Amino acid sequence: MNLVTIAWKSIRQRALASSLTALSVALGVTLMVTVLVMHGVIFKTFNQPATGYDLIVGAKGSSLQLVLNTIFHLGKPVENIPYLYYKDLKANPRIEAAIPLALGDTTQQGGFRIMGTIPEFFGVEYMPGKKYGVYKGGRYISKPFDAVIGASVARENNWDIGSTFKPVHGVDDGSGDAHVHDEEFTVVGVLGRTGTPNDKGVFVHLDGFYMIEGHEKPADEAAAKAAALAKMKGEAVPAATGHDESEHGDDGHGDDAHDDHGHGDDAHSDEPHDAHAGHHHHNHGPIPDEQKEVTAVLIRTKSPIVTPQLQGFINDQPEAQAVSPIQQISMLFSTFIDNVQLMLLVLITMIILVSGVGIFVSIYNSMSDRKREIAIMRALGARRGSVFAIILAESILLCVGGGILGVLLGHGLVFAAAPYVEAKSGIVMNPWAFEWFELILIPALVVLASLVGMVPGMTAYRTDVAKALSN
């Protein structure tokens, strides 16, 4: 019979006390594994989508809010910037792609964020080396009232190609007070799962977004805003045109080439209304570009070298701000999330240490009852070192056993929480994703067990055989 078998039999003799001490270690490790895995998943989720774009351009204000709202669909939409400013960005020779996003509506079913954009949105990699794809039979947006939905939207709303919906202005809180627009969009494509917040997004054609009643900025407000910006820049105040640029031969859409569908960004703005059978929208002509706004513009520059130069140039102007999504997320993690994680890990480490003390108390208190047992072992020929090793093995078995159970419980907890987290936030969690810190958990527990088993082991080592047998 080897020493580990003897140690295991001793643990079984004190099954209740041994189970409780091992369970305390398991709970501490469970908390630690859960925190580590969830932190890793959140970090990867928040960093991967951000790498698709070099800059995000939006209204002046909170840089972090702009990133969270635009990329991760969190919080209320920020202020808008003029559509004409987006066109200027698109014409900038340093910019490879400029993708506009217009926010403000949600779906009546599920409350998913609706984003007006252009077909080029789906041609930009959402992560390095990964592009969007639609399920067989679907296509990307090409007509004003087309919509493409994320995988989570399709699953939770039970929507498919051909499904129709009407946008809700703002966020429908379930009170019934939210305004439902008359315009109706048709799903023409369902995106494959990306593991990003865009799985919970609804993407409609920017042309159709502007056709929704109330989405155009009143002419007087647009003129006042343009005048204010011109004054801030020291330029001449522009005269209000009150008409569409298309009357002068420039419809403002020729430079917005689409993907392989071959449609311009606003190519359908002046189509007859009856060309969209089944769709209802307000009966007016094309909206002048001066009355259009976008919430943000996603930028990919032609070279990383020009990115900081372009960012500085935009930030020096009064119209908008340019932020680096990766920098903002890194700042968020370093300022808040990493500190919270550190505090949690310190607290959990203390819990595990207390569990180690519990193991020490459990074994040490059992020594008085085991002195005769140890004396008999010594009388039968067991050496002092062997007795010491048996006590140490008990401590290690309790710690390591509790640790392994804790790792399994931790990943099981993440596995159970994954569907709920995905439903609420769109974050796809892999419960079996291991963090490097987990690799040192078991060795650390072995060290802890060796330390807490040292004193009881020395007590067993010094047991007086004659005295213990006489008692």
Side-chain angles (χ1 to χ4, degrees):
M1 186 177 292
N2 59 41
L3 300 181
V4 175
T5 303
I6 297 173
W8 176 245
K9 286 184 176 293
S10 179
I11 290 174
R12 289 178 59 185
Q13 287 177 357
R14 297 173 290 106
L16 180 60
S18 299
S19 298
L20 291 176
T21 52
L23 182 61
S24 64
V25 175
L27 292 177
V29 173
T30 298
L31 291 174
M32 181 171 286
V33 169
T34 303
V35 169
L36 289 171
V37 172
M38 294 190 71
H39 177 272
V41 168
I42 293 173
F43 182 81
K44 291 174 183 176
T45 299
F46 272 74
N47 273 273
Q48 288 177 344
T51 57
Y53 306 97
D54 300 306
L55 294 172
I56 301 176
V57 177
K60 298 282 189 182
S62 169
S63 301
L64 180 59
Q65 182 186 5
L66 177 62
V67 173
L68 293 178
N69 181 254
T70 304
I71 301 294
F72 305 102
H73 317 321
L74 299 175
K76 294 182 179 180
V78 296
E79 292 295 325
N80 296 324
I81 57 177
Y83 179 85
L84 291 174
Y85 186 76
Y86 148 67
K87 291 182 66 178
D88 290 341
L89 288 175
K90 194 172 183 69
N92 191 305
R94 292 177 288 187
I95 293 177
E96 176 184 327
I99 311 296
L101 289 179
L103 311 179
D105 290 343
T106 56
T107 61
Q108 191 173 12
Q109 183 180 353
F112 295 105
R113 185 75 59 93
I114 294 176
M115 291 160 278
T117 189
I118 59 177
E120 287 99 316
F121 174 88
F122 304 101
V124 177
E125 296 177 346
Y126 64 87
M127 282 190 289
K130 294 185 178 180
K131 289 188 176 182
Y132 292 103
V134 291
Y135 289 130
K136 187 175 181 180
R139 60 178 174 83
Y140 296 118
I141 53 177
S142 62
K143 299 178 180 179
F145 288 93
D146 286 349
V148 170
I149 60 177
S152 297
V153 179
R155 185 185 69 250
E156 294 183 30
N157 284 0
N158 197 28
W159 287 355
D160 204 341
I161 297 172
S163 299
T164 60
F165 63 92
K166 294 182 178 181
V168 174
H169 182 69
V171 178
D172 186 1
D173 58 5
S175 63
D177 297 330
H179 172 66
V180 180
H181 293 292
D182 293 330
E183 292 77 13
E184 190 174 73
F185 289 82
T186 300
V187 177
V188 297
V190 178
L191 295 177
R193 179 173 295 279
T194 64
T196 72
N198 284 337
D199 287 340
K200 297 176 73 69
V202 176
F203 304 92
V204 302
H205 202 292
L206 193 62
D207 292 352
F209 186 88
Y210 290 133
M211 288 182 179
I212 298 175
E213 187 172 6
H215 278 192
E216 75 277 11
K217 194 173 186 67
D220 55 345
E221 289 185 22
K225 187 171 183 178
L229 287 173
K231 186 176 181 180
M232 291 175 64
K233 297 172 69 174
E235 300 175 349
V237 177
T241 59
H243 53 72
D244 188 9
E245 291 179 356
S246 60
E247 296 177 8
H248 297 279
D250 179 11
D251 64 359
H253 311 303
D255 60 347
D256 291 341
H258 281 181
D259 59 5
D260 55 7
H261 294 292
H263 301 286
D265 182 19
D266 290 331
H268 301 274
S269 296
D270 53 0
E271 287 185 4
H273 290 176
D274 57 5
H276 307 288
H279 299 296
H280 309 286
H281 47 83
H282 53 293
N283 189 23
H284 60 59
I287 301 171
D289 285 349
E290 292 86 354
Q291 291 180 246
K292 296 178 183 178
E293 291 185 318
V294 296
T295 307
V297 182
L298 308 175
I299 300 293
R300 287 194 71 173
T301 57
K302 292 184 177 179
S303 170
I305 299 176
V306 305
T307 301
Q309 300 172 357
L310 180 64
Q311 183 178 8
F313 172 77
I314 294 174
N315 289 336
D316 287 340
Q317 305 301 313
E319 292 96 338
Q321 66 170 330
V323 301
S324 168
I326 294 179
Q327 289 179 359
Q328 291 300 315
I329 296 305
S330 297
M331 288 175 57
L332 172 65
F333 271 80
S334 62
T335 305
F336 300 106
I337 299 179
D338 285 346
N339 290 333
V340 172
Q341 184 204 26
L342 180 61
M343 289 188 292
L344 286 173
L345 289 179
V346 169
L347 179 62
I348 294 168
T349 301
M350 292 177 64
I351 293 174
I352 294 177
L353 290 176
V354 170
S355 301
V357 173
I359 293 176
F360 165 77
V361 172
S362 174
I363 296 177
Y364 187 80
N365 287 341
S366 71
M367 295 309 299
S368 58
D369 299 328
R370 300 169 62 186
K371 285 184 177 180
R372 184 174 180 81
E373 173 189 333
I374 294 171
I376 293 174
M377 291 173 58
R378 290 286 314 283
L380 293 175
R383 295 180 301 222
R384 289 178 181 270
S386 299
V387 174
F388 176 84
I390 290 171
I391 303 301
L392 209 59
E394 288 184 31
S395 178
I396 292 174
L397 284 174
L398 288 174
C399 258
V400 173
I404 294 174
L405 178 62
V407 170
L408 296 176
L409 287 176
H411 285 279
L413 186 61
V414 175
F415 184 84
Y420 178 81
V421 172
E422 182 181 354
K424 293 297 181 181
S425 65
I427 297 176
V428 179
M429 303 182 67
N430 177 13
W432 307 119
F434 279 81
E435 295 297 314
W436 68 268
F437 195 83
E438 293 184 65
L439 298 176
I440 67 173
L441 270 177
I442 301 302
L445 287 174
V446 172
V447 173
L448 175 63
S450 299
L451 292 175
V452 301
M454 194 71 67
V455 173
M458 290 304 298
T459 301
Y461 183 88
R462 295 172 179 171
T463 299
D464 187 323
V465 177
K467 185 177 180 180
L469 290 175
S470 64
N471 289 335

